[in-house]
Amino acid sequence: MTDSPLASFLLPDGFARPGLAAMMKESALLGEAGRYAVRAGRDWRARHARPYTGRSAARAVEPVILVPGFMAGDGTLSWMARSLRARGFRTYRSHIHANVGCTLNAAAQLESRLEAIALRRGTRVQVVGHSLGGMIARGIAVRRPDLVSGLVTLGSPILAPAAHHVMLSWGVETLVRLSRAGVPGLMSEECVAGLCARQSFDESRAPLPTDVSFTAIYSRRDGVVDWRACIDPDGEPVEVTTSHLGMAVDPVVIDHVLTALGRGADATTSEGLQIA
């Protein structure tokens, strides 16, 4: 293998993999988590200072599902989910315990999950995806706009999935070797360099339907992926100043997510919902 096990088409000209200096910026995660803790404490005190009947926010119409990034699980977005619920959004987990398998399989699992939520709630679903989770969600939004009303990506290198730090390439290479050795449920060579990889890439780059809102949040301080690859021409770009990992917890990012979800919400009812 080369220094990256991923196919060359996943790193188009004009994009680059962040170096060591960029990765060092990820240490900002500690401060970003601290800001979340301060905000959460302040919100808790303000909420409990109000009369009991006024503590709950008005419930939003559309449900929201949160999708974790590479090698991550639902727990990494639990703080964000808590903040969204405090603002009235009904949140759901993706049921991805560790995002280390074939992206097409992960997409099929997420699509099934979206169908179940849409049928249960009688409305389309908004999706918040971190990194790889956003790329998977974008492909589903293209195929199934009957399920997805809005999409928010957080540091998702949609334009160049291989424009990531070499440490992630090492992780991918390890998964491929384990898959070759017979360990089930992991990314294989086909997933990162074959037809599977090509299909996933093409789906994540296809034009989005006009009735699916799309906000792409990115940061020039991203130490894991090339921030330029996160600015999708179909989405509304929003720049923040956080680390890649910190996008899951930083209060400023969460505020932007809340704004995007509020903008993308519609009043779809069960009578108007049609599952293809």
Side-chain angles (χ1 to χ4, degrees):
M1 289 189 177
T2 64
D3 61 345
S4 175
L6 284 82
S8 59
F9 62 79
L10 298 178
L11 185 59
D13 292 340
F15 300 98
R17 299 164 67 188
L20 178 61
M23 177 60 82
M24 296 298 291
K25 297 176 182 177
E26 291 300 303
S27 61
L29 172 63
L30 295 177
E32 291 152 357
R35 288 195 290 274
Y36 177 92
V38 171
R39 166 80 72 85
R42 186 172 67 244
D43 289 348
W44 185 90
R45 290 190 294 272
R47 186 167 60 254
H48 284 265
R50 296 194 297 266
Y52 181 79
T53 55
R55 291 180 183 177
S56 298
R59 180 72 71 182
V61 174
E62 292 184 328
V64 179
I65 188 168
L66 294 92
V67 189
F70 177 57
M71 300 186 75
D74 284 325
T76 60
L77 293 171
S78 60
W79 288 8
M80 179 175 289
R82 185 182 306 165
S83 294
L84 299 186
R85 289 194 298 272
R87 299 301 189 277
F89 286 96
R90 191 187 302 275
T91 66
Y92 290 84
R93 292 171 174 252
S94 68
H95 289 173
I96 295 177
H97 303 297
N99 205 346
V100 295
C102 170
T103 52
L104 291 183
N105 289 344
Q109 175 185 334
L110 182 59
E111 184 175 333
S112 177
R113 177 79 169 132
L114 284 166
E115 283 186 341
I117 296 171
L119 285 171
R120 179 180 180 183
R121 293 298 167 194
T123 181
R124 295 191 296 170
V125 184
Q126 297 207 73
V127 186
V128 178
H130 187 203
S131 198
L132 177 59
M135 296 168 61
I136 294 172
R138 193 191 186 289
I140 296 175
V142 169
R143 293 197 314 274
R144 300 296 306 274
D146 59 311
L147 296 177
V148 180
S149 63
L151 175 64
V152 183
T153 57
L154 311 173
S156 299
I158 294 168
L159 304 185
H164 57 237
H165 193 273
V166 66
M167 290 181 63
L168 263 69
S169 294
W170 294 341
V172 171
E173 185 172 359
T174 299
L175 294 175
V176 169
R177 288 180 174 178
L178 290 172
S179 177
R180 192 186 303 130
V183 179
L186 302 180
M187 289 182 178
S188 66
E189 289 177 291
E190 184 70 14
C191 298
V192 301
L195 293 178
C196 178
R198 170 59 76 177
Q199 181 178 340
S200 295
F201 181 56
D202 289 346
E203 286 183 349
S204 69
R205 289 297 304 114
L208 274 175
T210 57
D211 65 341
V212 177
S213 66
F214 180 16
T215 300
I217 298 176
Y218 70 97
S219 172
R220 295 173 190 259
R221 294 181 57 84
D222 197 314
V224 176
V225 303
D226 186 343
W227 61 270
R228 297 171 299 177
C230 304
I231 305 177
D232 191 304
D234 278 2
E236 178 177 338
V238 174
E239 183 176 359
V240 295
T241 56
T242 63
S243 66
H244 183 83
L245 300 176
M247 288 188 186
V249 299
D250 188 84
V252 173
V253 175
I254 293 174
D255 285 346
H256 283 299
V257 171
L258 286 164
T259 298
L261 293 176
R263 185 168 53 243
D266 61 33
T268 305
T269 64
S270 57
E271 288 79 12
L273 179 67
Q274 295 182 348
I275 303 298

